[in-house]
Amino acid sequence: MPTLESIKNRLNEKYKKDIAGSETLYGDTQLFLDIRKDVVRPICNDIISEGGRYLVSVGHDDGDRSGTLGLIHTFSFDADHFKVMVKTAAPADNPVFDSITPDIPNAGWSEREYIDLLGMKFTGHPKPKRLILADDWPEGIHPLRKEVPYNLVPPAAEDVAYQLDECPPGCSVVPVGPFHPSLHEPAHFAVFVDGETIKGCDYRGFMTHRGIEKLCTTQVSYNEVPFIAERICGICGSVHATAYSQVVELAAGIKIPRRADFIRTIMLEIERIHSHLLWLGVAGHLIGFDTVFMQAWRVREQVMWLAEKITGNRKTYGMIVIGGVRRDLTPELCDDLLKVVANIEKETMTIHRAIAGDTAVHKRTKGVGALTREQVVNWSLVGPVARARNVDIDARRDHPYAAYDEMKFDVPVVDTMDVWGTVLVRILEIYEAVKIIRQAVEKMPGGPVLYEFHDPIPPMKHAITQVEAPRGEAVHYVITGEENRAERWRVRAPTYPNLQGVPAMLMNNQFADFPIIVGSIDPCFSCTDRVEVVDMRSGKASVIGSGELEKMSRKR
Amino acid sequence: MKILYMIINVLLFLALAPLFEGMIRKIIAKVQSRQGPPLLQPYYDLLKLLGKENMSADGNAAFRLAPMIAFASIVSVIAFVPFGFQEGFLGGYADIITVIYLLTMGGVSVMLGALSSKNTFASMGASREMITMIMVEPVLAMTLIIGALKVKSLGIGASIAGITAGGYGWSVVLMLAVYLMALQAFVARQPFDITEAEIEILEGPFIEYSGPNYALFKYYLMLKQMFYAALFAMVFVPVARTEFYALTVVIQLAIVALVFVLISLLASTNPRLRIDQAVRYYTALIFMALCAVGLSVYGI
């Protein structure tokens, strides 16, 4: 059993002079290491072999202070309840790092992201292709660099196109997307098929990247970001708002009222029930079983009504802010809440029984999208995708936040290793969410729901937090800054790691199973792309008529 | 009079096929706790499509002709069959081989149109259509062959009436079961809507079609599904025969409606199968159909 201290001591001993500083933060839950960049790869490997799970890398432009670009790899020790951040830096004019992707495949996208956004270079990266920036974005402009203004519109590069991976011999390419009925948001998969059997795929996404992270670190202040964070995703909005608020509270040392913790827990679980039912419906639709789709969404509708009663909105609740929550739960609302969840529990059981006994559903989901436990661990997959493959991780239990430390609940883990397992896990989690809501209502203490803080938040504090979103774990990393806004804020939505595992899940499956395999991770491309749809410059959304749109599209 | 039977046949099918389609949509909607579209929606759809433009990526002749061939072939099949147990004018000029041939022709023209559009999804749909055709047509053929064996004639009216001529023996019961099990595949409904599979290959063979050409394909599919339901009524429910032609037709239409209820319920309670799973299922069906034919040879 590694502990934070033992890891710290072992690494300090082994890499004496290469570790410039090691610091234990936030009550022994986070270890921050400052290392020389030559030893990034061995140290990361050592952390993985100790049992760490790769989370995300955070690149950060520190040019104005130290003339360097910082890179922080983060790891989680789930069974032992702590996290490790490994920071290194390279001069801004020659930012070359060793790639850790050959050993930790999930770091692939993070590193590609900083090739695009910060102009870093990674030696030994197996696929250093463009990931985030549009194909016609000119070379040499890296938007996350501080000297690049947030609203820069450079002239488009001409005659450029994304080069797809080489198609294996004997295969043909089936283009799925950018618009395809099995994808609910724009993304492009080039699926290489031999007859109907999938032999590989290449992914080109980030088509809706709008640069929220840049926006929130240059234009708005701490208090406004929770609402923007909530709009990262239409389904797990509260997750991102909670994660952001939590990480800022952590860095600033703000203690929020206990009642607010409970209300956050309730909102997160309402959202979880909503998301699971929504996904169950979508999964039914993807295997051509629309009755499951319609029935699951009928049940889900009650959650929407409930949310509207509590927050005023069917979705995108706008409840969570730094320091607590915006609205209190009255006793009447609590009664309503309990009634609705009891009803949902009952109706979910009916659907559960129907699906569990339906051999046709088993035919389409069992053995589909199979991965071994080792593959899941190697690819650092999260959420129901991992729990369906016997990987027992859940941030609510492993890294308790809000009021989860007081809640008693099970983390459903199954070992069917396939899409069927994901279906099971997500249905079982609905029951657990109901259980949590009941406990939270019962145990909820009185008192205020918002702590109003007036002291400035100290700059240059690093903090990381995990929140278990319905589709997996969301990670937020923040470096606090001056001028009442974060210096760097990194969001890693659950789709970010899971989407990277999709090619492995697709391998040697039938093309007919493509929709449900991609659907099984519940991909949220907008989370991954971090979209913002409201025009922040004018502060209002403008509506473009169809005639005008036609004119605009003809102009180009 | 015989010409009249034929004309009534064709008009009845043309007029009612969209209605039965609307019925399917309504029943599925009810199972799914939805309101569903109006019963007459398929008529509106057809009218709407007929009033639209034909879009064609590269107007090759095969692409344009395919919907017409499909539509023409299914209409001819309908002209041949003895709905209301009255053989039409053309009955004497064709036999069950012609019927099977014309039905296959519909499938072939779907494939032809799909392949000539050069669309990736369309060609995947075409290859699925081909597999389905090869695996499902034998079941239909063997149904008719049992009748032909019993009456020793390939005549359409004779072999259709001949199946239950000797009462419901084991071979007939088995064949009836096989026919019902193959029904969803005949009409390309879930779990066997594999050729179109909207969510995977975006309506497969029909992806490039629009306007009147697409309307013809849609009409073809509706007619085809009504034909298979009607064939069930003609082949396996001879008790519907009365002395009055009009009454017989009404009873048979009621049976067709019942078959459509069955189709809707099966379609709404099953996910779509994969083509490899479907092929295994079809193989079992063919084997059972062969057994039925074998039994009928021995008069069982």
Side-chain angles (χ1 to χ4, degrees):
Chain A
M1 273 276 166
T3 62
L4 190 143
E5 280 304 311
S6 75
I7 299 243
K8 183 177 166 184
N9 294 338
R10 221 170 302 167
L11 289 176
N12 267 324
E13 214 170 284
K14 191 167 168 192
Y15 301 96
K16 277 179 204 99
K17 54 182 187 312
D18 294 320
I19 297 184
S22 55
E23 207 181 334
T24 311
L25 302 166
Y26 313 115
D28 279 354
T29 58
Q30 299 185 9
L31 171 64
F32 189 84
L33 297 170
D34 198 347
I35 62 166
R36 276 188 343 111
K37 74 184 174 89
D38 314 0
V39 290
V40 170
R41 212 170 146 178
I43 285 192
C44 288
N45 283 342
D46 281 356
I47 292 172
I48 292 287
S49 61
E50 294 276 356
R53 176 170 61 88
Y54 175 77
L55 293 177
V56 68
S57 304
V58 186
H60 143 242
D61 181 7
D62 201 31
D64 47 352
R65 280 190 198 79
S66 59
T68 60
L69 294 184
L71 179 67
I72 306 153
H73 297 302
T74 59
F75 302 87
S76 167
F77 287 77
D78 300 297
D80 310 297
H81 319 298
F82 66 91
K83 281 151 276 194
V84 178
M85 293 111 94
V86 179
K87 181 185 186 259
T88 183
D93 47 4
N94 183 27
V96 182
F97 296 88
D98 280 341
S99 171
I100 60 168
T101 310
D103 309 307
I104 306 166
N106 212 284
W109 276 18
S110 277
E111 291 184 345
R112 281 166 74 184
E113 184 166 336
Y114 303 126
I115 297 174
D116 284 7
L117 300 182
L118 283 166
M120 290 180 177
K121 289 184 186 66
F122 291 92
T123 46
H125 195 292
K127 188 179 175 179
K129 279 183 169 181
R130 194 169 265 207
L131 178 73
I132 291 198
L133 294 177
D135 292 329
D136 62 355
W137 185 270
E139 291 286 336
I141 301 180
H142 305 294
L144 264 189
R145 292 266 186 133
K146 285 206 176 119
E147 69 268 16
V148 178
Y150 80 100
N151 54 358
L152 176 77
V153 183
E158 278 172 24
D159 296 331
V160 281
Y162 181 75
Q163 288 301 315
L164 286 176
D165 285 357
E166 193 87 2
C167 179
C171 293
S172 52
V173 185
V174 180
V176 181
F179 299 99
H180 186 278
S182 68
L183 307 171
H184 305 132
E185 291 164 82
H188 180 83
F189 289 88
V191 186
F192 308 132
V193 295
D194 179 7
E196 289 245 356
T197 311
I198 300 174
K199 290 292 175 197
C201 87
D202 191 16
Y203 170 79
R204 176 72 176 133
F206 292 85
M207 291 176 183
T208 47
H209 182 73
R210 295 283 298 270
I212 301 188
E213 285 170 4
K214 178 81 177 181
L215 187 79
C216 291
T217 48
T218 55
Q219 296 304 306
V220 293
S221 61
Y222 279 122
N223 279 335
E224 288 148 341
V225 178
F227 303 109
I228 300 177
E230 189 151 18
R231 283 162 176 79
I232 288 175
C233 175
I235 294 172
C236 25
S238 280
V239 167
H240 288 295
T242 307
Y244 168 79
S245 305
Q246 217 163 264
V247 74
V248 172
E249 285 154 9
L250 196 62
I254 298 168
K255 184 99 184 67
I256 71 164
R258 197 62 187 148
R259 190 174 173 84
D261 272 339
F262 273 79
I263 295 176
R264 280 186 185 177
T265 307
I266 291 172
M267 292 322 294
L268 288 170
E269 291 309 312
I270 288 178
E271 201 167 66
R272 191 177 319 278
I273 295 177
H274 166 267
S275 175
H276 283 348
L277 286 168
L278 182 137
W279 178 81
L280 188 62
V282 170
H285 180 58
L286 291 177
I287 57 171
F289 200 171
D290 279 351
T291 304
V292 170
F293 172 34
M294 293 296 164
Q295 295 300 346
W297 281 39
R298 181 179 56 75
V299 178
R300 155 185 172 268
E301 189 61 26
Q302 304 166 54
V303 190
M304 315 284 276
W305 292 335
L306 178 73
E308 188 176 355
K309 248 184 192 171
I310 297 176
T311 69
N313 285 326
R314 283 160 62 84
K315 203 64 212 72
T316 312
Y317 308 137
M319 279 284 271
I320 291 149
V321 288
I322 300 172
V325 294
R326 285 174 65 221
R327 288 167 204 251
D328 201 356
L329 279 176
T330 61
E332 299 84 61
L333 282 176
C334 287
D335 287 347
D336 270 349
L337 177 62
L338 291 177
K339 255 182 249 155
V340 171
V341 294
N343 202 18
I344 286 171
E345 191 180 29
K346 205 177 80 206
E347 296 201 78
T348 308
M349 280 179 184
T350 316
I351 298 181
H352 184 181
R353 268 198 302 272
I355 296 178
D358 192 333
T359 48
V361 172
H362 296 181
K363 265 192 186 166
R364 285 304 307 275
T365 51
K366 282 192 176 164
V368 170
L371 285 183
T372 61
R373 188 176 189 281
E374 289 66 41
Q375 277 176 306
V376 173
V377 172
N378 185 32
W379 276 97
S380 319
L381 306 187
V382 297
V385 176
R387 290 196 284 274
R389 293 168 179 86
N390 209 6
V391 179
D392 192 4
I393 47 168
D394 188 324
R396 292 176 294 171
R397 180 198 59 200
D398 301 335
H399 306 277
Y401 51 92
Y404 285 109
D405 48 347
E406 280 186 48
M407 302 293 149
K408 287 195 179 59
F409 60 97
D410 296 325
V411 176
V413 177
V414 299
D415 57 1
T416 59
M417 306 291 173
D418 51 15
V419 173
W420 171 244
T422 316
V423 176
L424 272 185
V425 165
R426 294 194 80 154
I427 293 179
L428 294 176
E429 277 185 17
I430 296 178
Y431 305 140
E432 296 306 317
V434 170
K435 223 155 88 183
I436 293 172
I437 289 178
R438 287 201 179 117
Q439 292 175 51
V441 170
E442 191 190 320
K443 292 186 188 162
M444 189 154 56
V449 295
L450 185 63
Y451 167 80
E452 293 194 33
F453 60 102
H454 300 286
D455 304 330
I457 293 173
M460 298 321 285
K461 293 260 191 196
H462 290 246
I464 188 169
T465 195
Q466 290 147 288
V467 168
E468 189 71 21
R471 29 167 87 107
E473 158 209 71
V475 179
H476 283 220
Y477 191 101
V478 84
I479 305 173
T480 57
E482 285 134 14
E483 297 173 16
N484 198 26
R485 67 173 71 103
E487 161 96 10
R488 178 77 172 99
W489 170 43
R490 172 70 159 102
V491 180
R492 195 221 63 188
T495 305
Y496 200 80
N498 282 354
L499 206 50
Q500 297 184 62
V502 161
M505 291 165 80
L506 286 173
M507 198 49 112
N508 293 326
N509 276 278
Q510 294 284 301
F511 182 75
D513 288 330
F514 174 86
I516 185 64
I517 292 175
V518 174
S520 80
I521 71 160
D522 199 359
C524 178
F525 299 114
S526 70
C527 285
T528 314
D529 299 0
R530 278 149 287 164
V531 203
E532 184 53 59
V533 281
V534 180
D535 182 352
M536 293 306 294
R537 257 169 292 169
S538 60
K540 58 177 184 241
S542 54
V543 180
I544 300 172
S546 63
E548 206 179 326
L549 194 68
E550 211 168 287
K551 256 185 248 156
M552 281 166 69
S553 52
R554 284 198 180 139
K555 241 194 303 189
R556 256 191 84 96
Chain B
M1 196 60 198
K2 280 201 159 192
I3 289 189
L4 206 58
Y5 287 141
M6 188 187 85
I7 293 171
I8 291 174
N9 238 2
V10 172
L11 289 182
L12 209 59
F13 271 72
L14 285 178
L16 291 181
L19 184 74
F20 285 118
E21 169 79 17
M23 211 177 90
I24 291 189
R25 288 168 73 170
K26 200 78 183 172
I27 294 173
I28 291 179
K30 289 296 164 202
V31 175
Q32 296 175 348
S33 307
R34 280 190 295 128
Q35 190 70 38
L39 203 55
L40 299 182
Q41 189 62 43
Y43 294 98
Y44 306 146
D45 288 352
L46 287 179
L47 281 177
K48 180 192 73 182
L49 285 171
L50 285 172
K52 289 203 168 206
E53 206 181 330
N54 262 331
M55 307 286 262
S56 162
D58 56 342
N60 65 46
F63 182 81
R64 283 196 315 272
L65 285 175
M68 291 171 217
I69 301 174
F71 184 73
S73 63
I74 194 73
V75 172
S76 341
V77 169
I78 290 162
F80 285 131
V81 293
F83 198 63
F85 298 113
Q86 292 295 340
E87 209 162 345
F89 173 67
L90 286 174
Y93 296 92
D95 52 23
I96 53 172
I97 307 287
T98 322
V99 170
I100 294 170
Y101 165 80
L102 283 170
L103 277 173
T104 315
M105 184 99 144
V108 169
S109 47
V110 168
M111 274 164 49
L112 184 73
L115 290 172
S116 63
S117 74
K118 299 191 188 72
N119 183 304
T120 318
F121 295 108
S123 26
M124 284 184 94
S127 78
R128 290 175 177 198
E129 172 78 27
M130 178 150 49
I131 295 172
T132 311
M133 228 164 59
I134 292 168
M135 301 299 286
V136 177
E137 295 286 294
V139 177
L140 174 82
M142 279 178 239
T143 310
L144 297 174
I145 285 170
I146 288 188
L149 277 173
K150 285 197 173 168
V151 294
K152 306 265 188 294
S153 155
L154 283 177
I156 296 172
S159 41
I160 283 180
I163 294 171
T164 51
Y168 287 92
W170 280 112
S171 61
V172 178
V173 172
L174 184 58
M175 201 62 229
L176 189 144
V178 173
Y179 192 93
L180 282 179
M181 285 161 80
L183 194 58
Q184 297 300 98
F186 285 147
V187 300
R189 288 275 168 185
Q190 268 141 340
F192 301 110
D193 60 336
I194 304 166
T195 307
E196 290 169 54
E198 180 245 344
I199 206 90
E200 297 156 22
I201 52 170
L202 318 103
E203 304 287 336
F206 311 118
I207 181 170
E208 291 286 342
Y209 280 99
S210 60
N213 277 343
Y214 186 44
L216 281 181
F217 264 139
K218 280 210 128 168
Y219 215 169
Y220 156 74
L221 291 173
M222 292 175 198
L223 287 167
K224 193 174 92 170
Q225 104 192 341
M226 188 173 166
F227 164 77
Y228 279 108
L231 189 66
F232 176 82
M234 288 183 274
V235 168
F236 293 109
V237 199
V239 287
R241 188 195 291 264
T242 63
E243 284 173 28
F244 308 101
Y245 172 68
L247 185 63
T248 311
V249 167
V250 170
I251 294 176
Q252 284 202 323
L253 284 176
I255 297 168
V256 170
L258 278 179
V259 174
F260 270 93
V261 172
L262 181 72
I263 292 174
S264 326
L265 291 179
L266 284 172
S268 59
T269 49
N270 273 297
R272 183 187 312 114
L273 287 180
R274 280 198 313 256
I275 189 80
D276 55 323
Q277 294 166 340
V279 164
R280 277 199 290 278
Y281 181 83
Y282 298 149
T283 314
L285 286 188
I286 293 180
F287 180 71
M288 283 161 71
L290 275 174
C291 289
V293 173
L295 287 175
S296 75
V297 170
Y298 292 101
I300 302 170

